Amino acid sequence: MDDFAIRLTMGGTRVDVRGPADITKEATEAIVNAANSSLLGGGGVDGAIHRAGGPSILKECERIVAKIGRLPAGKAVLTTGGRLAAKYVIHTVGPIYRDGRRGEADTLASCYRSSLQLAEDHGIASIAFPAISTGAYGYPMLEAARIAWLTIAEALAAATLVEHVRFVLFDSAGVEAYTAAVEELQRAGRIAASKIEKGVA
Ligand code: APR
């Protein structure tokens, strides 16, 4: 059942807001992990993905870290999805929010852009994002939602293979913020959608 709070159709791509939900249960081809630069796991969504996906994900992360050292904030790497329904996990490192004046917005935008680019490079047609940096990394949810929507809308203009993007929020505050953010951006003419559908309440 394709339930969503709100869905925008932009070009050939559907972008949904879904939740409260657990991203480890998503059956999109890829799910995005809000990791840290060590790539060796952590709490929050990082912990949930490694727990649900199993050790094969960590093994691939260790191989990547052995090659590149640490994953800088704003970058993204791809591993197997292990035991998850998703085939792949795209690990990205969000900014730690301090005062909003240290490039946090650009780094957060880079997480969404790099993750979508990786999906395109691997011919991945559907991808689910958590609200990167809005937990332990302290990014204010509404501002993070605006950045997520604007960056994905811009990146989709150049993307050809991705057909379905999903923002999966863990709680209703996140669902409300992502829904309010896109309605505000759409009213301000900063996001163009050919169709907007409100989901079942
Ligand atoms: N499904 C979807 N979203 C989730 C889940 C889940 N299972 N678990 C948590 N979240 C949500 C949180 O509610 C928050 O809105 O993901 C968002 C990101 O929170 P964190 O997981 O804390 O990630 P982040 O804020 O980016 O901090 C990253 O935390 O877990 C560590 O190793 C990670 O050091 C890194 C840091």
Side-chain angles (χ1 to χ4, degrees), residues 68-196:
I68 67 167
R70 294 171 64 74
L71 184 66
K75 299 285 182 216
V77 293
L78 180 132
T79 69
T80 176
R83 291 199 298 261
L84 292 169
K87 259 172 80 185
Y88 303 104
V89 177
I90 291 175
H91 306 261
T92 191
V93 179
I96 295 172
Y97 188 83
R98 300 209 194 293
D99 56 13
R101 289 198 296 274
R102 298 161 199 245
E104 295 99 322
D106 291 343
T107 304
L108 186 58
S110 173
C111 289
Y112 286 97
R113 204 174 303 120
S114 318
S115 300
L116 200 75
Q117 187 56 56
L118 257 185
E120 276 286 298
D121 296 348
H122 287 81
I124 292 169
S126 58
I127 180 170
F129 288 93
I132 300 165
S133 279
T134 63
Y137 281 0
Y139 216 110
M141 181 62 88
L142 187 58
E143 190 42 36
R146 284 193 194 102
I147 291 165
W149 272 110
L150 284 170
T151 310
I152 289 295
E154 184 196 351
L156 284 178
T160 53
L161 298 174
V162 177
E163 294 158 8
H164 190 183
V165 176
R166 181 165 267 177
F167 293 120
V168 178
L169 287 313
F170 205 44
D171 52 34
S172 33
V175 174
E176 279 147 35
Y178 269 67
T179 303
V182 76
E183 288 178 333
E184 171 205 304
L185 290 168
Q186 213 264 334
R187 271 197 305 275
R190 296 183 63 195
I191 275 204
S194 53
K195 196 159 98 177
I196 298 185

